[in-house]
Amino acid sequence: MAFATPYQTYVPLPFDSGKVSAFAFGVPNEFCFLLWVSGSLIKSHFCNICGNFGSGGRHQDHEAVLSLVQVHVVTHASQLPKEFLFPSPKSHLIVGFDCEGVRLCRYGTLCIMQLAFSDAIYLVDAIQGGEKLMKACKPALESSFITKVIHDCKRDSEALYFQFGIKLHNVMDTQIAYSLIEEQQGRRRSSDDPISFVGLLADPQYCGISYTEKKDIRVLLKKASDPKFWTYRPLSEMMVRAAVDDVRFVPYIHHKIMEKLNERLLCQLAVRGALYCRCFCVSDKGFADWPPIPTIPDDIKAKGNAPEEEISSVIIVPSGKMGCVIGKRGASILSIKKWCNADILVGGERGPADKVGL
């Protein structure tokens, strides 16, 4: 695979015993990209992310910060870590996760799946690797032993289910986590205006950085006005950069979120994540073939601090009657939402057009 112009990317990774385990940066080549960057440049970037430097602007674990991380473009399952392909209760993994595609939903095309590990980022090429490669990832994506950290799981889960028969399971949705933490702190955010990933990164509680690179890439994608952008091969520099951008901060965000979650919030997060994974995935079988929703542990119930039960319902709307459900200027939907404190999810133009999720 050839790239006309090299570029660099910086990937903050989760802490290990209170210290930074590594930093990542790279120039693309055939299967991975690597680039050494001067210490001063790394210092400046890391300071913006963590603000944890000693005197003289040098991080206490400076050598660890200089560690390299590889980014791999994967077209065959053999290029993925064995511990990912063969999940085991002896090795619980936490993986940053995202997908890119054309109209990413049941009717679109999933083109790239990004996986961010503590020591590498893998771009799983669903176009080149095809169904065989995606099926090889199925055990991991459905495993309880691998936590998939993602921002807004709904459409990714829908695409995986209807295009590859994969039931995304055991997710840690950072969008849901942010909402729960804000609510606990008395700052309830409307479900009609969920936090974006760029907004989450900008929040000083989590990173406090302006993610201008992601904004720049999205602007370029819009200017391209090409609905088949993610289907082209070989991957261009812009495509690789955009894909990496969506997962490079996820391990660090996961670390910062976990600092703020108590047992009760962790339970709510697990339940709501499972419900959101399947909200657009209802089929003729309902959800009969999906894993069970996580239950509240008995010790939390015993403390009298168990969260309220959360229920997911799907309303089948007759053809042409969605307007009746929504109501004039959304009056019906807003009334239901206010009465039962529900998140209401409508498929919209990407479908399912005949279903409303509550």
Side-chain angles (χ1 to χ4, degrees):
M1 182 180 298
F3 293 83
T5 306
Y7 69 98
Q8 59 194 34
T9 182
Y10 312 96
V11 187
L13 300 171
F15 284 102
D16 181 14
S17 303
K19 295 182 178 180
V20 176
S21 57
F23 234 72
F25 16 91
V27 174
N29 58 34
E30 186 173 1
F31 288 110
C32 64
F33 42 105
L34 305 170
L35 175 70
W36 286 107
V37 183
S38 66
S40 59
L41 183 57
I42 297 170
K43 285 192 301 182
S44 173
H45 185 75
F46 188 80
C47 184
N48 287 335
I49 294 174
C50 301
N52 189 23
F53 284 82
S55 60
R58 182 183 179 87
H59 190 268
Q60 296 174 355
D61 198 18
H62 186 71
E63 296 306 317
V65 172
L66 292 176
S67 299
L68 270 176
V69 172
Q70 295 178 338
V71 179
H72 304 268
V73 176
V74 176
T75 58
H76 191 275
S78 62
Q79 296 168 283
L80 288 166
K82 289 184 178 180
E83 60 268 29
F84 176 78
L85 293 174
F86 306 102
S88 168
K90 297 179 181 179
S91 177
H92 188 98
L93 298 179
I94 298 174
V95 179
F97 180 77
D98 192 33
C99 296
E100 306 291 350
V102 179
R103 292 174 58 85
L104 195 62
C105 63
R106 65 179 63 195
Y107 306 119
T109 303
L110 191 154
C111 302
I112 296 175
M113 184 172 70
Q114 304 102 294
L115 306 170
F117 290 76
S118 61
D119 59 352
I121 290 178
Y122 295 84
L123 304 182
V124 180
D125 190 341
I127 298 296
Q128 292 283 1
E131 187 171 356
K132 183 177 181 180
L133 175 58
M134 294 302 294
K135 291 293 186 182
C137 297
K138 178 179 171 74
L141 299 179
E142 296 183 348
S143 174
S144 298
F145 308 127
I146 299 179
T147 300
K148 280 68 68 174
V149 185
I150 182 174
H151 191 84
D152 190 4
C153 63
K154 298 186 291 292
R155 291 300 184 185
D156 301 66
S157 180
E158 180 185 10
L160 287 167
Y161 181 66
F162 285 102
Q163 294 178 39
F164 301 104
I166 295 172
K167 297 176 282 292
L168 187 61
H169 178 59
N170 192 26
V171 302
M172 192 273 215
D173 192 315
T174 57
Q175 190 175 75
I176 298 173
Y178 180 90
S179 175
L180 291 172
I181 294 169
E182 288 290 287
E183 185 175 342
Q184 178 183 249
Q185 297 175 351
R187 298 189 297 270
R188 183 177 177 84
R189 188 183 182 104
S190 171
S191 59
D192 295 329
D193 183 31
I195 188 76
S196 67
F197 189 53
V198 172
L200 181 61
L201 285 172
D203 191 316
Q205 296 185 85
Y206 303 94
C207 267
I209 62 172
S210 177
Y211 196 177
T212 55
E213 290 180 355
K214 180 176 174 67
K215 293 178 182 178
D216 292 343
I217 284 291
R218 296 312 177 205
V219 169
L220 288 173
L221 293 181
K222 287 182 179 179
K223 286 182 178 179
S225 300
D226 189 345
K228 296 183 179 181
F229 175 85
W230 288 109
T231 66
Y232 298 136
R233 297 298 181 271
L235 295 173
S236 68
E237 173 192 337
M238 182 191 298
M239 295 167 78
V240 173
R241 179 181 173 189
V244 169
D245 274 354
D246 280 350
V247 292
R248 62 177 176 149
F249 292 109
V250 168
Y252 182 78
I253 289 290
H254 173 263
H255 166 74
K256 299 303 291 183
I257 284 178
M258 291 302 292
E259 290 181 334
K260 305 177 188 301
L261 296 176
N262 55 33
E263 284 184 315
R264 187 176 188 274
L265 290 183
L266 282 169
C267 290
Q268 285 183 278
L269 179 58
V271 171
R272 198 170 297 181
L275 293 175
Y276 272 48
C277 271
R278 66 192 71 193
C279 67
F280 288 144
C281 297
V282 64
S283 64
D284 294 338
K285 301 178 183 178
F287 299 115
D289 56 342
W290 282 73
I293 299 294
T295 58
I296 306 300
D298 292 336
D299 60 330
I300 294 182
K301 292 180 180 179
K303 295 175 183 177
N305 191 35
E308 294 182 354
E309 182 180 9
E310 300 203 12
I311 300 173
S312 176
S313 299
V314 177
I315 301 173
I316 308 298
V317 181
S319 178
K321 298 297 182 180
M322 185 63 77
C324 298
V325 175
I326 295 174
K328 187 176 182 179
R329 295 183 179 178
S332 299
I333 285 288
L334 292 174
S335 178
I336 295 171
K337 184 174 181 178
K338 181 178 180 180
W339 179 70
C340 62
N341 191 29
D343 288 345
I344 299 177
L345 308 169
V346 180
E349 63 177 8
R350 288 192 290 177
D354 61 340
K355 297 178 178 65
V356 174
L358 298 176

